[in-house]
Structures are given as C-alpha cells and as structure tokens.
Amino acid sequence: SPSNDLALSLVSNGKKLFLINNKTATSTDIIINTLAEKCVWLKGSSHFAYCAIPDSFPSGDYPDAWYKGVVSTQDSIKKVDLDHNIYYEVSNLSDETEEKIDVTNMSLSPDGNYLMFINKIDGYLWMLKIAED
C-alpha cells in the first residue's frame, strides 16, 4: 500500500513486511510480521502506519492461505514508526473484545480519530478509537 505522498510503499513477502522507497527502489525490512493488507498509513504521514499484527500465524502458504480463508489470524493493533523501525501497542483486540478478530479492509476515519476494519471471520464492521483525549 503506498504512502499518502506515494514516495513509500508497504509490501509483504509471505508473512514479512517491507518498506519500499519508490524513488530509489530500495527496501527496508520492518521488524513486524504481518500482511501489507493489514496496514494503513496515518493521514499526511510517510513515517507512521497502523498495522494489525497476528499474535501468531497458523501453518499455511501466505498470503494465499489467508486470502482464500483457509487460515485466520488473531490480531492486535500497533502503531509502527517506520523511521525507527519500532512499534507501539494500540489495542490487544482479543483482550478488549473477548473475540478473535482477523483484521481486513482497515481504514482511517477522515479526522484520524478512528480505525475502521472488518473482522474477516464473521464479516462484522468494527471501529476503534485511537485519538488521545
């Protein structure tokens, strides 16, 4: 998924996430394992993204097994600092909801205060407040 200014892209190879500099065609290995489809860029930023990070990956050929629905993951939400290759806990979804949530179709609200996503397991829409009060 490309950044807001199209200078960077997040891509995954299997379960591994990479940051691609679209201008120089160089890549940086990101510390977390997830699928690029489980990430969304912060509004107006090429430095931060929110990503749904699986607690573990069931056996399977990724990303195909996940796309086909053969496997599902249980995700937590992290804010990823792509400049420093570190992340911050935003929400442990299973602890907060007492459900297994496999995040797909994640987007950021226009005001940047909420993450919206679909639980791939049951198709329900979720909204998570991320703005600090």
Side-chain angles (χ1 to χ4, degrees):
S1 63
S3 61
N4 300 314
D5 62 4
L6 305 178
L8 304 170
S9 293
L10 287 171
V11 298
S12 47
N13 182 4
K15 301 176 255 185
K16 192 70 198 138
L17 190 66
F18 294 90
L19 179 67
I20 304 293
N21 183 317
N22 296 325
K23 294 176 184 173
T24 64
T26 57
S27 69
T28 304
D29 186 3
I30 301 299
I31 195 169
I32 56 175
N33 289 331
T34 193
L35 305 175
E37 292 81 355
K38 290 181 172 278
C39 296
V40 64
W41 293 91
L42 269 74
K43 297 283 186 213
S45 175
S46 301
H47 308 284
F48 291 94
Y50 287 105
C51 293
I53 312 298
D55 296 339
S56 64
F57 280 94
S59 296
D61 182 26
Y62 287 86
D64 295 350
W66 183 77
Y67 284 133
K68 293 176 183 176
V70 174
V71 297
S72 61
T73 60
Q74 180 170 301
D75 299 332
S76 294
I77 304 290
K78 314 274 192 215
K79 182 178 181 181
V80 184
D81 178 339
L82 297 164
D83 288 340
H84 299 100
N85 207 2
I86 56 175
Y87 60 86
Y88 307 94
E89 181 82 24
V90 174
S91 174
N92 183 318
L93 296 174
S94 63
D95 284 354
E96 290 187 34
T97 65
E98 298 180 0
E99 291 187 38
K100 181 178 178 181
I101 296 182
D102 183 357
V103 172
T104 189
N105 293 45
M106 187 159 56
S107 63
L108 195 60
S109 64
D111 62 9
N113 292 330
Y114 296 90
L115 285 175
M116 295 162 293
F117 52 87
I118 294 173
N119 183 354
K120 193 169 185 278
I121 296 167
D122 59 19
Y124 284 110
L125 178 65
W126 288 81
M127 187 165 35
L128 176 68
K129 184 174 181 180
I130 53 174
E132 298 177 12
D133 294 328

